[in-house]
Amino acid sequence: MATERLLKRFEPGAMSEPSSFLEQTKVHLQRALETEDPDEKNFHLRTALQLCSCDGVTEQSD
C-alpha cells in the first residue's frame, strides 16, 4: 500500500525534472523532511544517497 503510493508520486511527469543530480538530491532531501511516513522518508533518503553516489561516479569519469 505505501509502496503503491510512493510509485504513484514518482511516475514520469509527477516530479519536475531538475537539471542535475544535486538538484534532484535537494528535492528528495526536502521531501524526506516534509513527510511523516517512515517508508516515504526512507525512500527519499535512500534515493538522495544514491544520487550522491551517481554524481561522484560521473565526476570521476570526466
Side-chain angles (χ1 to χ4, degrees):
M1 292 174 217
T3 304
E4 291 174 10
R5 188 175 63 220
L6 286 175
L7 291 174
K8 189 174 184 178
R9 285 190 66 183
F10 295 97
E11 291 174 350
M15 190 174 176
S16 60
E17 296 182 23
S19 59
S20 69
F21 289 119
L22 178 61
E23 290 303 313
Q24 292 178 45
T25 301
K26 288 178 183 179
V27 168
H28 281 287
L29 290 174
Q30 184 61 42
R31 289 187 177 177
L33 289 171
E34 292 170 352
T35 187
E36 296 297 322
D37 179 15
D39 290 333
E40 188 172 350
K41 189 177 292 286
N42 186 30
F43 170 79
H44 288 297
L45 291 173
R46 287 178 177 273
T47 302
L49 289 171
Q50 290 173 347
L51 287 166
C52 288
S53 175
C54 290
D55 195 30
V57 169
T58 59
E59 286 176 1
Q60 291 174 2
S61 67
D62 287 342

